[in-house]
Amino acid sequence: MAEYLLPYFGQLSTDNVEEYYDVNIDFNGNEIQVDLNFESKNTDAAKLDQVKNYLENIETNNKLAKSYLLEDYHNEEGDTVKFYLEHHLEEVEQDELSTLINFDDVTVEPEQQLLTKLELVRIGLYPDNEEGFAILDYSIGKEITNYLVVINTDQNGQLDYMAMES
């Protein structure tokens, strides 16, 4: 029975992994959830090496994902981020959004201000999944909305697709 030490998760037995693990970690002053999901009872060191590498580079992967958010927002054909922001500006009471947005600031549009408030709230890792390795969830705040901008990437942080989900 081989053991493997993963950041945040500790020792895992490669011959007897559970289907689901989760931890909460401090990331840039915010608590985020990181979960690890397996499709079978065993795994190999190569897959866990990919997980370890991803976990050791959360900051880099977050920066890359945030660049995808900005790219989608500024792209005329991109619709996920703009729709997410517009939805919340239309549906959430201004009083509630005033904790995130200074509506009196005429120099920066409310939508632009809200864009800067999208923060990472969860990373899901799926080392057995052929379609996508990591899912990063971004939100303007769990206390304000259950909607997320969800970014799916490969193990190197390269974008697969982005969507708004609840």
Side-chain angles (χ1 to χ4, degrees):
M1 174 165 42
E3 294 286 317
Y4 195 101
L5 181 63
L6 275 179
Y8 310 114
F9 292 97
Q11 292 283 351
L12 273 84
S13 168
T14 58
D15 298 333
N16 189 26
V17 293
E18 294 178 24
E19 190 176 312
Y20 179 80
Y21 299 86
D22 74 316
V23 295
N24 290 325
I25 66 169
D26 179 67
F27 180 71
N28 294 338
N30 296 317
E31 185 176 278
I32 66 168
Q33 177 185 329
V34 180
D35 53 80
L36 184 54
N37 303 270
F38 291 99
E39 293 176 6
S40 62
K41 281 283 184 200
N42 53 39
T43 191
D44 58 48
K47 286 181 183 176
L48 293 176
D49 284 343
Q50 290 177 333
V51 171
K52 181 179 181 185
N53 182 56
Y54 200 94
L55 291 170
E56 289 174 342
N57 292 288
I58 290 176
E59 183 69 45
T60 302
N61 290 310
N62 178 54
K63 284 180 180 172
L64 191 55
K66 282 204 154 200
S67 75
Y68 299 141
L69 293 171
L70 290 173
E71 192 175 298
D72 182 79
Y73 177 76
H74 292 294
N75 184 338
E76 287 182 19
E77 294 175 20
D79 60 357
T80 302
V81 176
K82 203 163 226 1
F83 180 74
Y84 178 90
L85 299 173
E86 288 171 353
H87 169 80
H88 289 90
L89 286 168
E90 291 170 9
E91 300 296 325
V92 179
E93 294 292 326
Q94 190 168 331
D95 287 354
E96 201 170 350
L97 288 176
S98 67
T99 59
L100 300 174
I101 299 172
N102 178 359
F103 287 98
D104 297 328
D105 183 353
V106 294
T107 63
V108 183
E109 293 289 325
E111 191 175 278
Q112 293 278 326
Q113 291 183 55
L114 202 54
L115 175 63
T116 66
K117 302 301 181 183
L118 270 172
E119 292 295 334
L120 182 64
V121 294
R122 174 188 167 262
I123 299 173
L125 298 173
Y126 301 83
D128 295 333
N129 191 337
E130 300 288 323
E131 298 300 310
F133 182 82
I135 297 175
L136 295 91
D137 295 342
Y138 289 83
S139 175
I140 57 170
K142 293 180 191 177
E143 63 285 341
I144 293 175
T145 183
N146 62 344
Y147 285 98
L148 302 164
V149 176
V150 178
I151 296 178
N152 290 264
T153 72
D154 67 12
Q155 65 271 13
N156 299 313
Q158 297 302 303
L159 179 66
D160 183 21
Y161 71 92
M162 181 184 311
M164 181 169 127
E165 298 177 6
S166 70

